[in-house]
Coordinates of all heavy atoms in Angstrom, one line a residue:
M6 N 4.3 99.3 -46.5 CA 4.5 100.3 -47.4 C 4.1 99.7 -48.7 O 4.4 98.5 -49.1 CB 6.0 100.6 -47.3 CG 7.0 100.1 -48.2 SD 8.6 100.9 -47.7 CE 8.8 101.8 -49.1
K7 N 3.5 100.5 -49.7 CA 2.9 99.9 -50.8 C 3.9 100.0 -52.0 O 4.6 101.1 -52.3 CB 1.7 100.8 -51.3 CG 0.7 100.1 -52.2 CD 0.0 98.9 -51.4 CE -0.6 98.0 -52.4 NZ -0.9 96.7 -52.0
T8 N 4.3 98.9 -52.6 CA 5.1 98.8 -53.7 C 4.4 98.2 -54.9 O 3.4 97.6 -54.8 CB 6.4 98.0 -53.4 OG1 6.0 96.6 -53.2 CG2 7.0 98.5 -52.2
D9 N 5.1 98.3 -56.0 CA 4.4 97.7 -57.2 C 5.2 96.3 -57.5 O 5.1 95.9 -58.6 CB 4.5 98.6 -58.4 CG 6.0 99.1 -58.7 OD1 6.9 98.6 -58.1 OD2 6.1 100.0 -59.5
G10 N 5.9 95.8 -56.5 CA 6.6 94.6 -56.8 C 5.8 93.3 -56.7 O 6.2 92.2 -56.9
G11 N 4.5 93.5 -56.3 CA 3.7 92.3 -56.2 C 4.0 91.3 -55.0 O 4.0 90.1 -55.1
C12 N 4.6 92.0 -54.0 CA 5.1 91.2 -52.9 C 4.4 91.7 -51.5 O 4.6 92.7 -51.2 CB 6.6 91.5 -52.8 SG 7.3 91.0 -51.2
A13 N 3.7 90.7 -51.0 CA 3.0 91.0 -49.8 C 4.0 91.2 -48.6 O 3.6 92.0 -47.7 CB 2.1 89.8 -49.4
H14 N 5.2 90.7 -48.6 CA 6.1 90.9 -47.5 C 6.5 92.4 -47.5 O 6.6 93.1 -46.5 CB 7.4 90.1 -47.8 CG 7.1 88.7 -47.9 ND1 7.2 88.1 -49.2 CD2 6.8 87.8 -47.1 CE1 7.0 86.8 -49.0 NE2 6.8 86.6 -47.8
M15 N 6.7 93.0 -48.7 CA 7.0 94.5 -48.7 C 5.9 95.3 -48.4 O 6.0 96.3 -47.6 CB 7.5 94.8 -50.2 CG 8.8 94.3 -50.6 SD 9.2 94.9 -52.2 CE 10.5 93.8 -52.7
D16 N 4.7 94.9 -48.8 CA 3.5 95.6 -48.4 C 3.2 95.7 -47.0 O 2.6 96.6 -46.5 CB 2.2 95.0 -49.2 CG 2.3 95.4 -50.7 OD1 3.1 96.1 -51.1 OD2 1.5 94.6 -51.4
A17 N 3.7 94.7 -46.3 CA 3.5 94.6 -44.8 C 4.5 95.5 -44.0 O 4.3 95.7 -42.9 CB 3.5 93.1 -44.4
L18 N 5.5 96.0 -44.7 CA 6.5 96.8 -44.0 C 5.9 98.1 -43.6 O 5.3 98.8 -44.5 CB 7.8 97.0 -44.8 CG 8.5 95.8 -45.2 CD1 9.7 96.2 -46.1 CD2 9.1 95.1 -44.0
E19 N 6.0 98.6 -42.4 CA 5.5 99.9 -42.0 C 6.5 100.9 -42.1 O 6.3 102.0 -42.4 CB 4.9 99.7 -40.6 CG 3.5 98.9 -40.7 CD 2.8 98.8 -39.4 OE1 3.4 99.3 -38.4 OE2 1.8 98.1 -39.4
A20 N 7.7 100.6 -41.4 CA 8.7 101.6 -41.5 C 10.0 100.8 -41.9 O 10.3 99.7 -41.5 CB 9.0 102.2 -40.1
L21 N 10.8 101.4 -42.7 CA 12.1 100.8 -43.1 C 13.1 100.8 -41.9 O 13.3 101.8 -41.3 CB 12.7 101.5 -44.3 CG 11.8 101.3 -45.6 CD1 12.5 102.1 -46.7 CD2 11.8 99.8 -46.0
K22 N 13.8 99.7 -41.9 CA 15.0 99.6 -40.9 C 16.2 100.1 -41.8 O 16.5 99.6 -42.8 CB 15.1 98.2 -40.4 CG 13.9 97.8 -39.6 CD 14.3 96.3 -39.0 CE 13.0 95.7 -38.5 NZ 12.3 96.5 -37.6
T23 N 17.0 100.9 -41.1 CA 18.2 101.3 -41.7 C 19.4 100.9 -41.0 O 19.3 100.5 -39.8 CB 18.2 102.9 -41.9 OG1 18.0 103.4 -40.6 CG2 17.1 103.4 -42.8
A24 N 20.5 100.9 -41.7 CA 21.8 100.4 -41.0 C 22.2 101.2 -39.9 O 22.3 102.4 -40.0 CB 22.9 100.3 -42.0
E25 N 22.4 100.6 -38.7 CA 23.0 101.4 -37.6 C 24.4 101.7 -37.7 O 24.9 102.7 -37.3 CB 22.7 100.6 -36.2 CG 21.1 100.6 -35.9 CD 20.9 99.9 -34.6 OE1 21.8 99.5 -33.9 OE2 19.7 99.6 -34.4
R26 N 25.1 100.6 -38.1 CA 26.6 100.8 -38.4 C 26.8 100.3 -39.9 O 26.3 99.4 -40.3 CB 27.4 99.9 -37.4 CG 27.1 100.3 -35.9 CD 27.9 99.4 -35.1 NE 29.4 99.4 -35.3 CZ 30.1 98.3 -35.2 NH1 29.7 97.2 -34.8 NH2 31.4 98.4 -35.5
R27 N 27.8 101.0 -40.5 CA 28.0 100.7 -41.9 C 29.0 99.6 -42.0 O 30.1 99.7 -42.6 CB 28.5 102.0 -42.6 CG 27.5 103.1 -42.5 CD 26.7 103.4 -43.8 NE 27.5 103.3 -44.9 CZ 27.4 102.4 -46.0 NH1 26.3 101.6 -46.0 NH2 28.2 102.3 -46.9
V28 N 28.7 98.5 -41.4 CA 29.6 97.3 -41.5 C 28.7 96.1 -41.7 O 27.5 96.1 -41.3 CB 30.4 97.1 -40.2 CG1 31.4 98.3 -40.0 CG2 29.6 96.9 -38.9
C29 N 29.3 95.0 -42.2 CA 28.5 93.7 -42.2 C 28.8 93.1 -40.7 O 30.0 92.8 -40.3 CB 29.1 92.7 -43.3 SG 28.5 91.1 -43.1
A30 N 27.7 92.7 -40.1 CA 27.8 92.2 -38.7 C 28.6 91.0 -38.6 O 29.2 90.6 -37.6 CB 26.4 92.1 -38.2
E31 N 28.5 90.1 -39.7 CA 29.2 88.9 -39.7 C 30.7 89.0 -40.2 O 31.6 88.3 -39.6 CB 28.5 87.8 -40.5 CG 27.1 87.4 -40.0 CD 27.2 86.8 -38.6 OE1 28.1 86.1 -38.3 OE2 26.3 87.0 -37.8
C32 N 30.9 89.7 -41.2 CA 32.3 89.9 -41.7 C 33.2 90.5 -40.7 O 34.4 90.1 -40.6 CB 32.2 90.8 -43.0 SG 31.7 89.9 -44.4
V33 N 32.7 91.5 -39.9 CA 33.6 92.1 -38.8 C 34.0 91.0 -37.8 O 35.2 91.1 -37.3 CB 32.9 93.2 -38.1 CG1 32.7 94.5 -39.0 CG2 31.7 92.8 -37.5
K34 N 33.2 90.0 -37.5 CA 33.7 88.9 -36.6 C 34.8 88.1 -37.1 O 35.6 87.6 -36.3 CB 32.4 88.1 -36.3 CG 31.3 88.7 -35.6 CD 30.2 87.6 -35.3 CE 28.9 88.3 -34.8 NZ 27.8 87.3 -34.9
I35 N 34.8 88.0 -38.5 CA 35.8 87.0 -39.0 C 36.9 87.8 -39.8 O 37.8 87.2 -40.4 CB 35.1 86.0 -40.0 CG1 34.4 86.7 -41.0 CG2 34.3 85.1 -39.1 CD1 33.8 85.6 -42.0
G36 N 36.8 89.1 -39.8 CA 37.9 89.9 -40.4 C 37.8 89.8 -42.0 O 38.8 90.0 -42.7
A37 N 36.5 89.6 -42.5 CA 36.4 89.5 -43.9 C 36.0 90.9 -44.5 O 35.7 91.7 -43.8 CB 35.3 88.5 -44.2
R38 N 36.1 90.9 -45.8 CA 35.7 92.2 -46.5 C 34.4 92.0 -47.2 O 34.0 90.9 -47.5 CB 36.8 92.4 -47.6 CG 38.1 92.9 -47.0 CD 39.1 93.1 -48.1 NE 40.2 93.9 -47.6 CZ 40.2 95.2 -47.7 NH1 39.2 95.9 -48.3 NH2 41.2 95.9 -47.3
W39 N 33.8 93.1 -47.5 CA 32.5 93.0 -48.2 C 32.5 94.2 -49.3 O 33.3 95.0 -49.3 CB 31.3 93.2 -47.3 CG 31.3 94.5 -46.5 CD1 30.8 95.7 -46.9 CD2 32.0 94.7 -45.2 NE1 31.1 96.6 -46.0 CE2 31.8 96.1 -45.0 CE3 32.7 94.0 -44.3 CZ2 32.3 96.7 -43.8 CZ3 33.1 94.5 -43.2 CH2 33.0 95.9 -42.9
V40 N 31.5 93.9 -50.1 CA 31.3 94.9 -51.2 C 30.2 95.9 -51.0 O 30.6 97.1 -50.9 CB 31.0 94.2 -52.6 CG1 30.9 95.2 -53.8 CG2 32.2 93.2 -52.8
H41 N 29.1 95.4 -50.8 CA 27.9 96.3 -50.5 C 27.1 95.7 -49.3 O 27.3 94.5 -48.9 CB 27.0 96.3 -51.6 CG 27.5 96.9 -52.9 ND1 27.5 96.3 -54.1 CD2 28.1 98.1 -53.1 CE1 28.1 97.0 -55.1 NE2 28.5 98.2 -54.4
L42 N 26.3 96.6 -48.7 CA 25.6 96.2 -47.5 C 24.2 96.2 -47.7 O 23.6 97.1 -48.4 CB 26.0 97.2 -46.3 CG 27.5 97.1 -45.9 CD1 27.8 98.3 -44.9 CD2 27.8 95.8 -45.2
R43 N 23.4 95.3 -47.0 CA 22.0 95.2 -47.1 C 21.5 95.1 -45.7 O 22.1 94.4 -44.8 CB 21.6 93.9 -47.8 CG 22.3 93.7 -49.2 CD 22.0 94.8 -50.2 NE 22.5 94.6 -51.5 CZ 23.2 95.6 -52.1 NH1 23.3 96.8 -51.6 NH2 23.6 95.4 -53.3
T44 N 20.3 95.7 -45.4 CA 19.7 95.6 -44.1 C 18.4 94.7 -44.1 O 17.5 95.0 -44.9 CB 19.4 97.0 -43.5 OG1 20.6 97.7 -43.5 CG2 18.8 97.0 -42.1
C45 N 18.5 93.7 -43.3 CA 17.2 92.9 -43.1 C 16.0 93.7 -42.6 O 16.2 94.3 -41.5 CB 17.6 91.7 -42.2 SG 16.1 90.6 -41.9
Q46 N 14.9 93.6 -43.2 CA 13.7 94.4 -42.8 C 12.9 93.7 -41.7 O 12.0 94.2 -41.2 CB 13.0 94.8 -44.0 CG 13.7 95.7 -45.0 CD 14.1 97.0 -44.3 OE1 13.3 97.7 -43.8 NE2 15.4 97.2 -44.3
Q47 N 13.3 92.5 -41.5 CA 12.6 91.7 -40.3 C 13.3 92.1 -39.0 O 12.6 92.4 -38.0 CB 12.6 90.3 -40.6 CG 11.8 89.4 -39.7 CD 10.4 89.1 -40.3 OE1 10.3 89.3 -41.5 NE2 9.5 88.7 -39.5
C48 N 14.6 91.8 -38.9 CA 15.3 92.0 -37.6 C 16.2 93.2 -37.6 O 16.8 93.5 -36.5 CB 16.1 90.6 -37.3 SG 17.3 90.4 -38.4
G49 N 16.6 93.8 -38.7 CA 17.4 95.0 -38.8 C 18.8 94.8 -38.8 O 19.7 95.8 -38.8
V50 N 19.3 93.5 -38.9 CA 20.7 93.2 -39.0 C 21.3 93.7 -40.5 O 20.5 93.6 -41.4 CB 21.0 91.7 -38.8 CG1 20.5 90.8 -40.0 CG2 22.5 91.6 -38.6
T51 N 22.4 94.3 -40.5 CA 23.0 94.7 -41.7 C 24.1 93.7 -42.1 O 25.0 93.4 -41.2 CB 23.6 96.1 -41.6 OG1 22.5 97.0 -41.3 CG2 24.3 96.6 -42.9
L52 N 24.1 93.2 -43.3 CA 24.9 92.1 -43.8 C 25.4 92.5 -45.2 O 24.8 93.3 -45.8 CB 24.2 90.7 -43.7 CG 23.9 90.4 -42.3 CD1 22.8 89.2 -42.4 CD2 25.1 89.9 -41.5
C53 N 26.3 91.5 -45.7 CA 26.9 91.9 -47.0 C 26.1 91.2 -48.2 O 25.4 90.2 -48.0 CB 28.4 91.5 -47.0 SG 28.6 89.8 -46.6
C54 N 26.3 91.8 -49.4 CA 25.6 91.4 -50.6 C 26.1 90.2 -51.3 O 27.2 89.7 -50.9 CB 25.5 92.6 -51.5 SG 27.2 92.8 -52.3
D55 N 25.5 89.8 -52.3 CA 25.9 88.6 -53.1 C 27.1 88.9 -53.9 O 27.8 87.8 -54.4 CB 24.8 88.2 -54.0 CG 23.8 87.3 -53.3 OD1 23.9 87.1 -52.1 OD2 22.8 86.9 -53.9
D56 N 27.6 90.1 -54.0 CA 28.9 90.4 -54.6 C 30.1 90.2 -53.7 O 31.2 90.2 -54.1 CB 28.9 91.8 -55.3 CG 28.0 91.9 -56.5 OD1 27.7 90.9 -57.2 OD2 27.5 93.1 -56.5
S57 N 29.7 90.1 -52.4 CA 30.8 89.9 -51.4 C 31.2 88.4 -51.3 O 30.3 87.6 -51.5 CB 30.2 90.5 -50.1 OG 29.6 91.7 -50.3
P58 N 32.3 88.2 -50.8 CA 32.7 86.7 -50.7 C 31.9 85.9 -49.8 O 31.7 84.6 -50.1 CB 34.2 86.8 -50.2 CG 34.6 88.3 -50.5 CD 33.4 89.1 -50.5
N59 N 31.3 86.4 -48.9 CA 30.6 85.6 -47.9 C 29.1 85.7 -48.0 O 28.4 84.8 -47.3 CB 31.0 86.0 -46.5 CG 32.5 85.6 -46.2 OD1 32.8 84.4 -46.1 ND2 33.3 86.6 -46.0
R60 N 28.6 86.6 -48.8 CA 27.1 86.6 -49.1 C 26.3 86.5 -47.8 O 25.3 85.7 -47.8 CB 26.8 85.5 -50.1 CG 27.5 85.7 -51.4 CD 27.0 84.7 -52.3 NE 27.7 84.9 -53.7 CZ 27.4 84.3 -54.8 NH1 26.5 83.4 -54.8 NH2 28.1 84.6 -55.9
H61 N 26.6 87.2 -46.8 CA 25.9 87.0 -45.5 C 24.4 87.4 -45.5 O 23.6 86.7 -44.8 CB 26.6 87.8 -44.3 CG 27.8 87.2 -44.0 ND1 29.1 87.8 -43.9 CD2 28.1 85.9 -43.5 CE1 30.0 87.0 -43.5 NE2 29.4 85.7 -43.2
A62 N 24.0 88.4 -46.3 CA 22.6 88.7 -46.4 C 21.8 87.5 -46.9 O 20.7 87.2 -46.4 CB 22.4 90.0 -47.2
S63 N 22.3 86.9 -48.0 CA 21.5 85.7 -48.5 C 21.5 84.5 -47.6 O 20.4 84.0 -47.4 CB 22.2 85.3 -49.9 OG 22.0 86.3 -50.8
K64 N 22.6 84.3 -47.0 CA 22.7 83.2 -46.0 C 21.7 83.5 -44.9 O 21.0 82.6 -44.4 CB 24.1 83.1 -45.4 CG 25.0 82.5 -46.4 CD 26.4 82.2 -45.8 CE 27.4 81.7 -46.8 NZ 28.8 82.0 -46.5
H65 N 21.6 84.7 -44.4 CA 20.7 85.1 -43.3 C 19.3 84.9 -43.7 O 18.5 84.3 -42.9 CB 21.0 86.5 -43.0 CG 20.0 87.1 -42.0 ND1 20.0 86.9 -40.6 CD2 18.9 87.9 -42.0 CE1 19.1 87.4 -40.0 NE2 18.3 88.1 -40.8
A66 N 18.9 85.2 -44.9 CA 17.5 85.1 -45.4 C 17.2 83.6 -45.5 O 16.1 83.2 -45.1 CB 17.4 85.8 -46.8
R67 N 18.1 82.8 -46.0 CA 17.8 81.4 -46.1 C 17.7 80.8 -44.7 O 16.8 79.9 -44.5 CB 18.8 80.7 -47.0 CG 18.7 80.6 -48.4 CD 19.5 79.5 -49.0 NE 20.9 79.7 -48.8 CZ 21.6 80.4 -49.5 NH1 21.1 81.1 -50.5 NH2 22.9 80.5 -49.3
A68 N 18.6 81.2 -43.8 CA 18.6 80.5 -42.4 C 17.4 80.9 -41.7 O 17.0 80.1 -40.8 CB 20.0 80.8 -41.8
T69 N 17.1 82.1 -41.7 CA 16.0 82.6 -40.9 C 14.6 82.7 -41.5 O 13.6 82.8 -40.7 CB 16.3 84.1 -40.4 OG1 16.4 84.9 -41.5 CG2 17.7 84.1 -39.7
G70 N 14.5 82.7 -42.8 CA 13.3 83.0 -43.5 C 12.8 84.5 -43.5 O 11.7 84.7 -43.9
H71 N 13.8 85.3 -43.0 CA 13.4 86.7 -43.2 C 13.5 87.2 -44.7 O 14.5 87.0 -45.3 CB 14.5 87.6 -42.4 CG 14.5 87.3 -40.9 ND1 15.3 87.8 -40.1 CD2 13.5 86.6 -40.2 CE1 15.0 87.4 -38.8 NE2 13.9 86.7 -38.9
P72 N 12.4 87.6 -45.2 CA 12.3 87.7 -46.7 C 12.9 89.0 -47.3 O 13.4 88.8 -48.4 CB 10.8 87.7 -46.9 CG 10.1 88.2 -45.7 CD 11.1 87.8 -44.5
V73 N 12.8 90.1 -46.6 CA 13.0 91.4 -47.4 C 14.3 92.0 -46.9 O 14.5 92.2 -45.7 CB 11.8 92.3 -47.3 CG1 12.2 93.7 -48.0 CG2 10.6 91.7 -47.8
I74 N 15.2 92.5 -47.8 CA 16.3 93.3 -47.5 C 16.1 94.7 -48.1 O 15.5 94.8 -49.2 CB 17.6 92.7 -47.9 CG1 17.6 92.3 -49.4 CG2 18.0 91.5 -47.0 CD1 18.9 92.1 -50.0
A75 N 16.7 95.7 -47.6 CA 16.9 97.0 -48.3 C 18.4 97.2 -48.5 O 19.3 96.8 -47.6 CB 16.3 98.1 -47.4
S76 N 18.7 97.9 -49.5 CA 20.1 98.3 -49.6 C 20.5 99.3 -48.6 O 19.7 100.2 -48.1 CB 20.2 99.1 -51.1 OG 21.6 99.6 -51.1
A77 N 21.7 99.1 -48.1 CA 22.2 100.0 -47.0 C 23.3 100.9 -47.6 O 24.0 101.6 -46.9 CB 22.8 99.3 -45.9
E78 N 23.3 101.0 -48.9 CA 24.3 101.8 -49.6 C 23.7 103.3 -49.7 O 22.6 103.4 -50.0 CB 24.6 101.3 -51.0 CG 25.3 100.0 -51.0 CD 26.6 100.0 -50.2 OE1 27.4 100.9 -50.4 OE2 26.8 99.1 -49.4
P79 N 24.5 104.3 -49.4 CA 24.1 105.7 -49.6 C 23.6 106.0 -51.0 O 24.2 105.5 -52.0 CB 25.4 106.5 -49.3 CG 26.3 105.6 -48.6 CD 26.0 104.1 -49.1
G80 N 22.4 106.6 -51.1 CA 21.9 106.9 -52.3 C 21.1 105.9 -53.0 O 20.4 106.1 -54.0
E81 N 21.1 104.7 -52.5 CA 20.3 103.5 -53.1 C 19.0 103.4 -52.3 O 19.1 103.3 -51.0 CB 21.1 102.3 -53.1 CG 22.3 102.2 -54.1 CD 22.9 100.8 -54.2 OE1 22.4 99.9 -53.6 OE2 23.9 100.7 -54.9
R82 N 17.9 103.4 -52.9 CA 16.7 103.3 -52.2 C 15.8 102.2 -52.9 O 15.0 102.4 -53.8 CB 15.9 104.6 -52.3 CG 16.6 105.7 -51.6 CD 16.0 107.0 -51.8 NE 14.6 107.1 -51.5 CZ 14.2 107.4 -50.2 NH1 15.1 107.7 -49.3 NH2 12.9 107.5 -49.9
W83 N 16.2 100.9 -52.5 CA 15.4 99.8 -53.0 C 15.3 98.6 -52.0 O 16.1 98.6 -51.1 CB 16.0 99.3 -54.4 CG 17.4 99.0 -54.3 CD1 18.4 99.8 -54.8 CD2 18.1 97.8 -53.9 NE1 19.6 99.1 -54.6 CE2 19.4 97.9 -54.1 CE3 17.6 96.5 -53.4 CZ2 20.3 96.8 -53.8 CZ3 18.5 95.5 -53.1 CH2 19.9 95.7 -53.2
L84 N 14.3 97.8 -52.3 CA 14.0 96.6 -51.5 C 14.1 95.4 -52.3 O 13.8 95.4 -53.6 CB 12.6 96.7 -50.9 CG 12.3 97.9 -49.9 CD1 10.8 98.0 -49.7 CD2 13.0 97.7 -48.6
Y85 N 14.5 94.3 -51.8 CA 14.4 93.0 -52.4 C 13.8 91.9 -51.6 O 14.2 91.8 -50.5 CB 15.9 92.6 -52.9 CG 15.9 91.4 -53.8 CD1 15.5 91.3 -55.0 CD2 16.2 90.1 -53.1 CE1 15.5 90.2 -55.7 CE2 16.2 89.0 -53.8 CZ 15.9 89.0 -55.1 OH 15.8 87.8 -55.8
C86 N 13.0 91.1 -52.2 CA 12.3 89.9 -51.5 C 12.9 88.7 -52.0 O 12.8 88.5 -53.3 CB 10.8 90.1 -51.6 SG 10.0 88.6 -50.8
Y87 N 13.5 87.9 -51.2 CA 14.1 86.7 -51.6 C 13.0 85.7 -52.1 O 13.2 85.1 -53.2 CB 15.0 86.0 -50.6 CG 16.3 86.8 -50.4 CD1 16.5 87.7 -49.3 CD2 17.3 86.5 -51.2 CE1 17.6 88.4 -49.2 CE2 18.5 87.3 -51.1 CZ 18.7 88.1 -50.1 OH 19.9 88.8 -49.8
P88 N 12.0 85.2 -51.3 CA 11.1 84.3 -51.8 C 10.3 84.7 -53.0 O 10.1 83.8 -53.9 CB 10.1 84.1 -50.6 CG 10.4 85.2 -49.6 CD 11.8 85.7 -49.9
D89 N 9.9 86.0 -53.2 CA 9.2 86.3 -54.4 C 10.2 86.8 -55.5 O 9.7 87.1 -56.6 CB 8.3 87.5 -54.1 CG 7.1 87.1 -53.2 OD1 6.7 86.0 -53.4 OD2 6.8 87.8 -52.2
E90 N 11.5 87.0 -55.3 CA 12.5 87.5 -56.2 C 11.9 88.8 -56.8 O 12.0 89.1 -57.9 CB 12.7 86.5 -57.3 CG 13.4 85.1 -56.8 CD 13.7 84.2 -57.9 OE1 13.6 84.6 -59.1 OE2 14.0 83.1 -57.6
A91 N 11.4 89.6 -55.8 CA 10.8 90.9 -56.1 C 11.7 92.0 -55.8 O 12.2 92.0 -54.7 CB 9.4 91.1 -55.5
F92 N 11.8 93.0 -56.7 CA 12.7 94.2 -56.5 C 11.8 95.4 -56.6 O 10.9 95.5 -57.4 CB 13.7 94.2 -57.6 CG 14.6 95.4 -57.6 CD1 15.8 95.3 -56.8 CD2 14.3 96.5 -58.4 CE1 16.7 96.4 -56.8 CE2 15.2 97.6 -58.3 CZ 16.4 97.5 -57.6
A93 N 11.9 96.3 -55.7 CA 11.1 97.5 -55.8 C 11.9 98.8 -55.3 O 12.7 98.7 -54.3 CB 9.8 97.5 -54.9
E94 N 11.9 99.9 -56.0 CA 12.4 101.1 -55.5 C 11.4 101.8 -54.7 O 10.2 101.7 -54.8 CB 12.9 102.0 -56.7 CG 14.0 101.3 -57.5 CD 14.6 102.2 -58.5 OE1 15.3 103.1 -58.2 OE2 14.3 101.9 -59.7
Y95 N 11.9 102.7 -53.8 CA 11.0 103.5 -53.0 C 11.4 105.0 -52.9 O 12.5 105.3 -53.4 CB 10.9 102.9 -51.6 CG 12.0 102.9 -50.8 CD1 12.4 104.0 -50.0 CD2 13.0 101.8 -50.8 CE1 13.6 104.0 -49.3 CE2 14.1 101.8 -50.0 CZ 14.4 102.9 -49.3 OH 15.6 103.0 -48.5
Ligands
ZN311 ZN1 7.8 88.8 -50.8
ZN312 ZN1 29.4 89.7 -44.6
ZN313 ZN1 16.7 89.2 -40.3

């Protein structure tokens, strides 16, 4: 998908992955709370944002090297690439 973010990772995405369940997959295991949800565009896991206490989406990106997340919040349509620090709306 073509974006103006200057990010080859986003350009390589063909279809967006969306959240299957509106929960953070890691927080539910430990009974933690989250603020916002993000979906990894490499493997499709949905995790919590950097405003959440456990920041699972960032940890996942660092641990796996999966670069791009999409907001899983209703009404939000944007992507973020960690290695490029690139943000794009779609
Ligand atoms: Zn990128
Ligand atoms: Zn979480
Ligand atoms: Zn992933």
Side-chain angles (χ1 to χ4, degrees):
M6 102 177 249
K7 202 68 192 159
T8 65
D9 55 9
C12 162
H14 306 103
M15 289 182 195
D16 290 347
L18 297 176
E19 289 180 0
L21 286 180
K22 296 186 194 306
T23 52
E25 289 179 10
R26 297 177 61 211
R27 302 256 318 123
V28 298
C29 170
E31 294 298 325
C32 282
V33 291
K34 292 181 193 166
I35 57 175
R38 291 176 158 271
W39 59 86
V40 180
H41 297 124
L42 295 170
R43 311 294 183 230
T44 300
C45 175
Q46 294 302 300
Q47 189 99 15
C48 65
V50 69
T51 295
L52 297 166
C53 56
C54 71
D55 281 357
D56 293 329
S57 308
N59 291 292
R60 302 183 175 192
H61 283 127
S63 290
K64 284 181 187 161
H65 174 78
R67 269 201 303 277
T69 60
H71 294 172
V73 179
I74 53 162
S76 175
E78 295 300 313
E81 291 189 4
R82 296 170 61 84
W83 54 260
L84 300 165
Y85 181 76
C86 174
Y87 286 101
D89 290 320
E90 297 182 12
F92 178 87
E94 296 189 71
Y95 62 88

